[in-house]
mmCIF file of all heavy atoms in Angstrom:
data_model
loop_
_atom_site.group_PDB
_atom_site.id
_atom_site.type_symbol
_atom_site.label_atom_id
_atom_site.label_comp_id
_atom_site.label_asym_id
_atom_site.label_seq_id
_atom_site.Cartn_x
_atom_site.Cartn_y
_atom_site.Cartn_z
ATOM 1 N N ARG W 105 8.236 24.574 1.846
ATOM 2 C CA ARG W 105 7.488 23.520 2.550
ATOM 3 C C ARG W 105 7.961 23.396 4.001
ATOM 4 O O ARG W 105 9.164 23.449 4.262
ATOM 5 C CB ARG W 105 7.645 22.177 1.833
ATOM 6 C CG ARG W 105 7.330 22.208 0.324
ATOM 7 C CD ARG W 105 5.862 22.503 0.053
ATOM 8 N NE ARG W 105 5.548 22.718 -1.340
ATOM 9 C CZ ARG W 105 5.145 21.777 -2.196
ATOM 10 N NH1 ARG W 105 5.056 20.514 -1.813
ATOM 11 N NH2 ARG W 105 4.830 22.089 -3.435
ATOM 12 N N LYS W 106 7.013 23.188 4.915
ATOM 13 C CA LYS W 106 7.365 23.011 6.334
ATOM 14 C C LYS W 106 7.338 21.545 6.749
ATOM 15 O O LYS W 106 7.693 21.209 7.875
ATOM 16 C CB LYS W 106 6.403 23.810 7.230
ATOM 17 C CG LYS W 106 6.512 25.312 7.055
ATOM 18 C CD LYS W 106 7.923 25.854 7.312
ATOM 19 C CE LYS W 106 8.281 25.878 8.772
ATOM 20 N NZ LYS W 106 9.622 26.489 8.993
ATOM 21 N N ASN W 107 6.890 20.667 5.855
ATOM 22 C CA ASN W 107 6.858 19.230 6.148
ATOM 23 C C ASN W 107 7.963 18.545 5.354
ATOM 24 O O ASN W 107 7.941 18.580 4.119
ATOM 25 C CB ASN W 107 5.508 18.619 5.778
ATOM 26 C CG ASN W 107 4.369 19.237 6.569
ATOM 27 O OD1 ASN W 107 4.552 19.684 7.690
ATOM 28 N ND2 ASN W 107 3.186 19.270 5.988
ATOM 29 N N LEU W 108 8.899 17.943 6.050
ATOM 30 C CA LEU W 108 10.039 17.315 5.395
ATOM 31 C C LEU W 108 9.999 15.806 5.587
ATOM 32 O O LEU W 108 9.815 15.310 6.698
ATOM 33 C CB LEU W 108 11.352 17.866 5.967
ATOM 34 C CG LEU W 108 11.550 19.381 5.914
ATOM 35 C CD1 LEU W 108 12.909 19.747 6.500
ATOM 36 C CD2 LEU W 108 11.393 19.912 4.492
ATOM 37 N N ILE W 109 10.175 15.099 4.479
ATOM 38 C CA ILE W 109 10.285 13.638 4.497
ATOM 39 C C ILE W 109 11.754 13.327 4.247
ATOM 40 O O ILE W 109 12.326 13.773 3.250
ATOM 41 C CB ILE W 109 9.424 13.017 3.390
ATOM 42 C CG1 ILE W 109 7.941 13.400 3.575
ATOM 43 C CG2 ILE W 109 9.597 11.491 3.355
ATOM 44 C CD1 ILE W 109 7.115 13.279 2.302
ATOM 45 N N ILE W 110 12.366 12.595 5.165
ATOM 46 C CA ILE W 110 13.804 12.349 5.074
ATOM 47 C C ILE W 110 14.093 10.848 5.083
ATOM 48 O O ILE W 110 13.545 10.093 5.887
ATOM 49 C CB ILE W 110 14.565 13.002 6.253
ATOM 50 C CG1 ILE W 110 14.350 14.525 6.261
ATOM 51 C CG2 ILE W 110 16.053 12.671 6.203
ATOM 52 C CD1 ILE W 110 15.008 15.246 7.445
ATOM 53 N N ALA W 111 14.986 10.436 4.180
ATOM 54 C CA ALA W 111 15.566 9.091 4.231
ATOM 55 C C ALA W 111 17.031 9.257 3.857
ATOM 56 O O ALA W 111 17.395 10.192 3.136
ATOM 57 C CB ALA W 111 14.870 8.139 3.270
ATOM 58 N N GLY W 112 17.875 8.361 4.357
ATOM 59 C CA GLY W 112 19.287 8.506 4.022
ATOM 60 C C GLY W 112 20.146 7.377 4.546
ATOM 61 O O GLY W 112 19.701 6.504 5.285
ATOM 62 N N ILE W 113 21.381 7.418 4.114
ATOM 63 C CA ILE W 113 22.395 6.449 4.526
ATOM 64 C C ILE W 113 23.582 7.241 5.056
ATOM 65 O O ILE W 113 24.100 8.104 4.345
ATOM 66 C CB ILE W 113 22.859 5.596 3.325
ATOM 67 C CG1 ILE W 113 21.688 4.862 2.665
ATOM 68 C CG2 ILE W 113 23.949 4.619 3.749
ATOM 69 C CD1 ILE W 113 21.039 3.790 3.514
ATOM 70 N N THR W 114 23.960 7.046 6.279
ATOM 71 C CA THR W 114 23.409 6.094 7.228
ATOM 72 C C THR W 114 22.476 6.807 8.216
ATOM 73 O O THR W 114 22.651 7.996 8.469
ATOM 74 C CB THR W 114 24.532 5.391 8.028
ATOM 75 O OG1 THR W 114 25.308 6.387 8.716
ATOM 76 C CG2 THR W 114 25.460 4.624 7.094
ATOM 77 N N THR W 115 21.542 6.024 8.755
ATOM 78 C CA THR W 115 20.583 6.582 9.707
ATOM 79 C C THR W 115 21.296 7.202 10.890
ATOM 80 O O THR W 115 20.920 8.265 11.376
ATOM 81 C CB THR W 115 19.638 5.472 10.235
ATOM 82 O OG1 THR W 115 19.235 4.636 9.164
ATOM 83 C CG2 THR W 115 18.415 6.064 10.909
ATOM 84 N N ASP W 116 22.341 6.506 11.374
ATOM 85 C CA ASP W 116 22.986 6.911 12.623
ATOM 86 C C ASP W 116 23.969 8.068 12.466
ATOM 87 O O ASP W 116 24.494 8.572 13.458
ATOM 88 C CB ASP W 116 23.684 5.712 13.276
ATOM 89 C CG ASP W 116 24.824 5.157 12.448
ATOM 90 O OD1 ASP W 116 24.812 5.322 11.204
ATOM 91 O OD2 ASP W 116 25.743 4.542 13.034
ATOM 92 N N VAL W 117 24.230 8.512 11.240
ATOM 93 C CA VAL W 117 25.115 9.659 11.034
ATOM 94 C C VAL W 117 24.453 10.696 10.129
ATOM 95 O O VAL W 117 24.288 11.852 10.500
ATOM 96 C CB VAL W 117 26.484 9.231 10.445
ATOM 97 C CG1 VAL W 117 27.353 10.452 10.146
ATOM 98 C CG2 VAL W 117 27.209 8.283 11.405
ATOM 99 N N CYS W 118 24.040 10.279 8.936
ATOM 100 C CA CYS W 118 23.600 11.231 7.914
ATOM 101 C C CYS W 118 22.132 11.634 8.037
ATOM 102 O O CYS W 118 21.732 12.643 7.461
ATOM 103 C CB CYS W 118 23.853 10.655 6.523
ATOM 104 S SG CYS W 118 25.573 10.175 6.284
ATOM 105 N N VAL W 119 21.339 10.861 8.779
ATOM 106 C CA VAL W 119 19.912 11.175 8.928
ATOM 107 C C VAL W 119 19.625 11.831 10.273
ATOM 108 O O VAL W 119 18.911 12.830 10.355
ATOM 109 C CB VAL W 119 19.040 9.904 8.761
ATOM 110 C CG1 VAL W 119 17.568 10.204 9.067
ATOM 111 C CG2 VAL W 119 19.179 9.358 7.347
ATOM 112 N N VAL W 120 20.181 11.287 11.336
ATOM 113 C CA VAL W 120 19.819 11.713 12.689
ATOM 114 C C VAL W 120 20.019 13.212 12.914
ATOM 115 O O VAL W 120 19.136 13.887 13.464
ATOM 116 C CB VAL W 120 20.562 10.864 13.764
ATOM 117 C CG1 VAL W 120 22.061 11.073 13.726
ATOM 118 C CG2 VAL W 120 20.023 11.146 15.165
ATOM 119 N N TYR W 121 21.127 13.748 12.445
ATOM 120 C CA TYR W 121 21.416 15.158 12.732
ATOM 121 C C TYR W 121 20.554 16.135 11.937
ATOM 122 O O TYR W 121 19.949 17.041 12.525
ATOM 123 C CB TYR W 121 22.915 15.433 12.566
ATOM 124 C CG TYR W 121 23.732 14.589 13.513
ATOM 125 C CD1 TYR W 121 24.561 13.583 13.039
ATOM 126 C CD2 TYR W 121 23.616 14.764 14.890
ATOM 127 C CE1 TYR W 121 25.283 12.776 13.917
ATOM 128 C CE2 TYR W 121 24.321 13.960 15.778
ATOM 129 C CZ TYR W 121 25.162 12.961 15.284
ATOM 130 O OH TYR W 121 25.853 12.158 16.157
ATOM 131 N N PRO W 122 20.428 15.994 10.606
ATOM 132 C CA PRO W 122 19.538 16.918 9.901
ATOM 133 C C PRO W 122 18.075 16.780 10.312
ATOM 134 O O PRO W 122 17.336 17.760 10.311
ATOM 135 C CB PRO W 122 19.737 16.571 8.419
ATOM 136 C CG PRO W 122 20.405 15.252 8.387
ATOM 137 C CD PRO W 122 21.161 15.133 9.669
ATOM 138 N N ALA W 123 17.669 15.576 10.691
ATOM 139 C CA ALA W 123 16.280 15.387 11.134
ATOM 140 C C ALA W 123 16.024 16.182 12.413
ATOM 141 O O ALA W 123 15.028 16.913 12.522
ATOM 142 C CB ALA W 123 15.987 13.905 11.350
ATOM 143 N N ILE W 124 16.929 16.068 13.370
ATOM 144 C CA ILE W 124 16.774 16.793 14.642
ATOM 145 C C ILE W 124 16.903 18.300 14.421
ATOM 146 O O ILE W 124 16.111 19.086 14.943
ATOM 147 C CB ILE W 124 17.788 16.274 15.684
ATOM 148 C CG1 ILE W 124 17.406 14.851 16.115
ATOM 149 C CG2 ILE W 124 17.851 17.203 16.903
ATOM 150 C CD1 ILE W 124 18.445 14.151 16.969
ATOM 151 N N THR W 125 17.892 18.706 13.628
ATOM 152 C CA THR W 125 18.066 20.134 13.337
ATOM 153 C C THR W 125 16.808 20.714 12.698
ATOM 154 O O THR W 125 16.363 21.817 13.046
ATOM 155 C CB THR W 125 19.278 20.353 12.397
ATOM 156 O OG1 THR W 125 20.461 19.959 13.092
ATOM 157 C CG2 THR W 125 19.414 21.811 11.989
ATOM 158 N N SER W 126 16.210 19.960 11.776
ATOM 159 C CA SER W 126 14.999 20.441 11.095
ATOM 160 C C SER W 126 13.859 20.659 12.086
ATOM 161 O O SER W 126 13.142 21.663 12.016
ATOM 162 C CB SER W 126 14.577 19.448 10.011
ATOM 163 O OG SER W 126 15.567 19.356 9.012
ATOM 164 N N VAL W 127 13.681 19.729 13.022
ATOM 165 C CA VAL W 127 12.639 19.880 14.050
ATOM 166 C C VAL W 127 12.909 21.138 14.880
ATOM 167 O O VAL W 127 12.000 21.944 15.134
ATOM 168 C CB VAL W 127 12.566 18.630 14.961
ATOM 169 C CG1 VAL W 127 11.680 18.894 16.177
ATOM 170 C CG2 VAL W 127 12.039 17.432 14.192
ATOM 171 N N LEU W 128 14.160 21.310 15.271
ATOM 172 C CA LEU W 128 14.523 22.476 16.082
ATOM 173 C C LEU W 128 14.298 23.780 15.317
ATOM 174 O O LEU W 128 14.060 24.830 15.917
ATOM 175 C CB LEU W 128 15.979 22.375 16.537
ATOM 176 C CG LEU W 128 16.302 21.202 17.479
ATOM 177 C CD1 LEU W 128 17.788 21.123 17.761
ATOM 178 C CD2 LEU W 128 15.518 21.329 18.784
ATOM 179 N N GLU W 129 14.345 23.712 13.984
ATOM 180 C CA GLU W 129 14.125 24.905 13.155
ATOM 181 C C GLU W 129 12.655 25.091 12.778
ATOM 182 O O GLU W 129 12.323 25.975 11.987
ATOM 183 C CB GLU W 129 14.987 24.821 11.886
ATOM 184 C CG GLU W 129 16.477 24.980 12.200
ATOM 185 C CD GLU W 129 17.364 24.914 10.965
ATOM 186 O OE1 GLU W 129 16.831 24.724 9.851
ATOM 187 O OE2 GLU W 129 18.585 25.052 11.129
ATOM 188 N N GLY W 130 11.790 24.254 13.336
ATOM 189 C CA GLY W 130 10.358 24.458 13.148
ATOM 190 C C GLY W 130 9.703 23.636 12.055
ATOM 191 O O GLY W 130 8.522 23.823 11.750
ATOM 192 N N TYR W 131 10.463 22.726 11.436
ATOM 193 C CA TYR W 131 9.871 21.851 10.423
ATOM 194 C C TYR W 131 9.167 20.674 11.093
ATOM 195 O O TYR W 131 9.532 20.254 12.204
ATOM 196 C CB TYR W 131 10.954 21.297 9.496
ATOM 197 C CG TYR W 131 11.596 22.312 8.579
ATOM 198 C CD1 TYR W 131 12.798 22.927 8.930
ATOM 199 C CD2 TYR W 131 11.022 22.648 7.352
ATOM 200 C CE1 TYR W 131 13.412 23.858 8.083
ATOM 201 C CE2 TYR W 131 11.624 23.568 6.494
ATOM 202 C CZ TYR W 131 12.817 24.166 6.871
ATOM 203 O OH TYR W 131 13.411 25.075 6.033
ATOM 204 N N ASN W 132 8.169 20.124 10.409
ATOM 205 C CA ASN W 132 7.592 18.832 10.783
ATOM 206 C C ASN W 132 8.364 17.784 9.997
ATOM 207 O O ASN W 132 8.506 17.915 8.780
ATOM 208 C CB ASN W 132 6.110 18.761 10.407
ATOM 209 C CG ASN W 132 5.307 19.887 11.028
ATOM 210 O OD1 ASN W 132 5.409 20.133 12.221
ATOM 211 N ND2 ASN W 132 4.528 20.587 10.223
ATOM 212 N N VAL W 133 8.843 16.753 10.672
ATOM 213 C CA VAL W 133 9.745 15.802 10.014
ATOM 214 C C VAL W 133 9.254 14.370 10.173
ATOM 215 O O VAL W 133 8.933 13.929 11.279
ATOM 216 C CB VAL W 133 11.177 15.910 10.598
ATOM 217 C CG1 VAL W 133 12.106 14.912 9.916
ATOM 218 C CG2 VAL W 133 11.715 17.332 10.442
ATOM 219 N N GLN W 134 9.216 13.668 9.028
ATOM 220 C CA GLN W 134 9.030 12.215 9.050
ATOM 221 C C GLN W 134 10.283 11.577 8.466
ATOM 222 O O GLN W 134 10.746 11.983 7.392
ATOM 223 C CB GLN W 134 7.816 11.798 8.217
ATOM 224 C CG GLN W 134 6.478 12.181 8.841
ATOM 225 C CD GLN W 134 5.326 11.369 8.261
ATOM 226 O OE1 GLN W 134 5.389 10.136 8.217
ATOM 227 N NE2 GLN W 134 4.272 12.044 7.852
ATOM 228 N N VAL W 135 10.816 10.608 9.171
ATOM 229 C CA VAL W 135 11.959 9.842 8.668
ATOM 230 C C VAL W 135 11.458 8.476 8.218
ATOM 231 O O VAL W 135 10.785 7.767 8.973
ATOM 232 C CB VAL W 135 13.058 9.694 9.738
ATOM 233 C CG1 VAL W 135 14.059 8.610 9.362
ATOM 234 C CG2 VAL W 135 13.792 11.030 9.921
#
Side-chain angles (χ1 to χ4, degrees):
R105 308 294 172 92
K106 294 303 286 184
N107 299 331
L108 304 181
I109 300 159
I110 300 177
I113 302 293
T114 58
T115 317
D116 64 334
V117 176
C118 305
V119 174
V120 65
Y121 300 112
I124 290 171
T125 295
S126 297
V127 169
L128 296 175
E129 290 180 359
Y131 291 96
N132 304 311
V133 180
Q134 289 199 51
V135 165

